[in-house]
Amino acid sequence: QVQLVESGGGLVQPGGSLRLSCAASGSSFSGNTMYWYRQAPGKEREFLALSTSFGYTNYADSVKGRFTISRDNAKNSVYLQMNSLKPEDTAVYYCKAIASTGEIWGQGTQVTVSS
């Protein structure tokens, strides 16, 4: 069974940093585009970043310059380094992959930015 599991969320003060991880199991995702999304309470799920297998990355304007997506194909994992965090970054963060069977989502990890 193909699974994505996020980790690394938590409580951080404004201006702080967190690094989220997304580990894939059940299949290799080294050839897949991997994504990060987030969903804040009462809001729609929002695209944040993507990383293709050949090294292209793209970011939402809301996180460009603050967040960095990376991947380690040997570990079948994708990461999201988040710097200069703001209270409005508070949300559940999800990773996603597009597989032959369709979209695969992780269960999410909570990030709370508060003093």
Side-chain angles (χ1 to χ4, degrees), residues 4-86:
L4 298 175
V5 178
E6 300 94 337
S7 62
L11 174 64
V12 63
Q13 292 187 343
S17 298
L18 280 177
R19 185 184 189 230
L20 305 184
S21 300
C22 172
S25 61
S27 178
S28 171
F29 286 92
S30 61
N32 297 66
T33 299
M34 302 296 293
Y35 303 79
W36 283 99
Y37 283 75
R38 70 185 177 191
Q39 188 165 20
K43 294 188 177 181
E44 293 187 354
R45 197 165 292 190
E46 173 191 14
F47 164 79
L48 298 177
L50 66 84
S51 169
T52 70
S53 61
F54 46 89
Y56 173 77
T57 59
N58 194 24
Y59 297 90
D61 288 342
S62 58
V63 303
K64 199 173 294 183
R66 298 190 299 125
F67 291 9
T68 302
I69 189 171
S70 61
R71 61 197 295 164
D72 184 337
N73 288 332
K75 295 183 178 180
N76 220 18
S77 294
V78 64
Y79 308 97
L80 187 67
Q81 177 67 43
M82 306 187 296
N83 299 328
S84 302
L85 284 163
K86 307 173 183 179

Side-chain angles (χ1 to χ4, degrees), residues 89-113:
D89 293 318
T90 295
V92 179
Y93 284 69
Y94 300 89
C95 63
K96 183 184 85 170
I98 308 295
S100 59
T101 54
E103 294 185 344
I104 300 172
W105 291 87
Q107 84 291 347
T109 184
Q110 175 71 45
V111 172
T112 302
V113 185

